[in-house]
Amino acid sequence: MATKDFDYKTFAQNLAGQAQELVPQDFNDEQKQYVINTLGNFSMMAGQALAEDPNLNFNAEQSTYITQIIAEWSFHKSVDVIRSGIPRQHWDGIMQKIAYTIFEIAKQTFSQGLPSDQILEIIEHQVGKAYSDAIDELKNRGIIDDTLQEFAKSQSNMEKMTQEARIQQEQQVQEQNNIVDQNLPQPAGRTNVTTENKLPAIDSKVLKLATVAMLFKRMNQDKVQTILNKFDQSDAEDVIKYMKLPNLAEKIGPQNALRCLKEIKEQIPKISDFSTTKIVKKIKNFASKYSANELDTILIKERIGVKRLVYTALEDKYYDKIPPKVASIVATYLQNSV
């Protein structure tokens, strides 16, 4: 039966609007518009078929999911077609073959009730095959030569964006790990050892929280609030209280602060701590709070790589195309965004 509660027009328009922010900046206006229009048109046509075809039996959630998959791959492969060097008059033919393939495979796999990660894997394989076959056809017809054929097949905007995201996330992790280094108090030369250089006879946790408060007073307050949101509530309240104390640094003492900050730095996870087993467990704990349908809804707006990471984790496996450091950040993001 037709899916009357699926507003495919608004959804397709929203997807096209999101694409405007993701189109490569090195594209000219005509190329950018081609990507946006291709994604929007294919999303609209797929959405209309899913919403109005009485022979299809998908609910609104499934229809939304299928339409988004078509939109994402339309975006990536239209970018690949443009970068391939293939003459403009052949772009539409390639993209139509890809869109048709996605639609048909999505209908079959969803109708069979396959797991989401398996559906995404099958579609990814079939998209690559359809793209490659379309290029081979142009070569066989004498429209492109061997060199252009090979170059066109080497294009993969999805892998390019994944790599860029990986680099960006790794840089963010490095920046976070450098916060302590950047704010370590610098010793002012040799001084006589006094009682100030000894840790005070108070709870070490109190001293560490006070030291964190001293560190936070020197940081951007928006970043401070983001970090505090991850603290235990009582600890966060203590840190805020200590931040309001006058002459906090003098009360803690430079040597005490130095030693506490070093201990805090040592407790920050190193690269080796991002074990794939811990990531899989973290994602499974997140996903266990939702039904399969609820989880699909939550992940609708996420990238294919994120979906693959989650669905693979549910099978007690790790999606190794995403580096562990990046996957750990993604897992934390999913927990905090819902």
Side-chain angles (χ1 to χ4, degrees):
M1 61 180 180
T3 308
K4 296 299 183 182
D5 55 344
F6 175 39
D7 186 0
Y8 67 88
K9 292 182 179 179
T10 300
F11 187 57
Q13 290 169 356
N14 289 339
L15 291 171
Q18 295 174 26
Q20 295 183 32
E21 302 177 2
L22 300 174
V23 177
Q25 294 302 308
D26 59 315
F27 280 10
N28 60 38
D29 291 341
E30 181 182 356
Q31 292 170 331
K32 291 179 180 179
Q33 202 57 50
Y34 180 81
V35 174
I36 297 169
N37 289 344
T38 300
L39 180 151
N41 291 338
F42 287 158
S43 300
M44 188 73 71
M45 288 188 292
Q48 182 176 13
L50 291 165
E52 300 179 358
D53 189 340
N55 297 318
L56 298 179
N57 191 28
F58 297 119
N59 58 35
E61 181 181 315
Q62 292 171 322
S63 298
T64 299
Y65 197 9
I66 293 172
T67 303
Q68 187 190 12
I69 292 173
I70 290 176
E72 289 185 356
W73 279 113
S74 296
F75 174 84
H76 288 304
K77 300 318 290 182
S78 61
V79 171
D80 290 345
V81 167
I82 292 173
R83 285 180 170 153
S84 70
I86 291 174
R88 170 66 179 83
Q89 62 267 33
H90 301 291
W91 294 356
D92 290 346
I94 295 175
M95 293 307 304
Q96 287 167 4
K97 289 182 174 66
I98 292 173
Y100 175 80
T101 297
I102 299 172
F103 190 68
E104 292 302 314
I105 296 298
K107 287 195 301 181
Q108 294 174 23
T109 53
F110 273 90
S111 297
Q112 294 170 9
L114 297 180
S116 297
D117 62 327
Q118 190 172 348
I119 291 175
L120 292 173
E121 185 175 354
I122 293 172
I123 290 176
E124 181 177 356
H125 172 74
Q126 292 298 327
V127 166
K129 184 176 184 302
Y131 177 68
S132 179
D133 289 347
I135 293 172
D136 288 342
E137 181 181 341
L138 293 178
K139 166 62 173 59
N140 294 335
R141 291 165 54 191
I143 295 173
I144 62 175
D145 58 19
D146 291 338
T147 301
L148 187 54
Q149 177 190 33
E150 182 178 354
F151 179 75
K153 286 187 175 184
S154 71
Q155 300 303 310
S156 178
N157 187 65
M158 182 182 178
E159 291 185 7
K160 183 175 184 294
M161 290 185 67
T162 300
Q163 184 178 14
E164 290 174 349
R166 179 191 305 137
I167 294 173
Q168 183 180 5
Q169 296 288 6
E170 289 179 348
Q171 289 174 342
Q172 291 177 358
V173 171
Q174 188 60 47
E175 288 174 2
Q176 293 173 2
N177 289 340
N178 286 340
I179 288 177
V180 173
D181 281 339
Q182 294 170 356
N183 291 276
L184 280 175
Q186 298 299 318
R190 292 179 59 86
T191 58
N192 293 329
V193 178
T194 65
T195 55
E196 180 190 54
N197 295 329
K198 299 180 181 179
L199 286 173
I202 59 175
D203 184 1
S204 61
K205 181 178 180 180
V206 172
L207 182 58
K208 287 183 179 180
L209 291 176
T211 303
V212 169
M214 180 191 73
L215 176 67
F216 283 178
K217 290 178 70 173
R218 303 169 59 183
M219 292 172 55
N220 179 287
Q221 293 307 298
D222 289 338
K223 292 184 178 180
V224 169
Q225 188 57 55
T226 300
I227 299 174
L228 282 176
N229 289 339
K230 300 179 182 180
F231 275 47
D232 177 84
Q233 183 176 353
S234 61
D235 289 345
E237 292 174 353
D238 286 341
V239 170
I240 294 173
K241 178 179 65 176
Y242 296 143
M243 290 175 68
K244 297 178 181 178
L245 292 176
N247 304 319
L248 178 61
E250 290 78 3
K251 292 178 180 179
I252 297 175
Q255 297 300 322
N256 293 334
L258 179 63
R259 293 165 68 175
C260 280
L261 287 170
K262 286 184 175 179
E263 289 183 18
I264 293 171
K265 181 184 178 183
E266 290 173 356
Q267 294 172 1
I268 295 177
K270 304 297 189 296
I271 294 178
S272 59
D273 294 327
F274 293 108
S275 72
T276 56
T277 301
K278 290 181 180 179
I279 294 170
V280 169
K281 182 178 180 181
K282 191 173 185 179
I283 293 175
K284 289 185 67 177
N285 287 340
F286 151 75
S288 66
K289 302 175 184 177
Y290 308 97
S291 67
N293 288 339
E294 289 173 335
L295 187 62
D296 286 342
T297 300
I298 291 170
L299 296 176
I300 275 179
K301 295 184 179 180
E302 299 299 337
R303 295 288 177 193
I304 290 177
V306 173
K307 295 172 185 173
R308 293 285 296 276
L309 178 68
V310 174
Y311 293 131
T312 303
L314 294 179
E315 301 294 328
D316 286 322
K317 299 176 183 178
Y318 179 72
Y319 182 54
D320 57 9
K321 290 188 178 181
I322 297 181
K325 286 170 62 177
V326 177
S328 180
I329 294 173
V330 170
T332 301
Y333 156 75
L334 290 172
Q335 287 183 321
N336 295 337
S337 64
V338 179

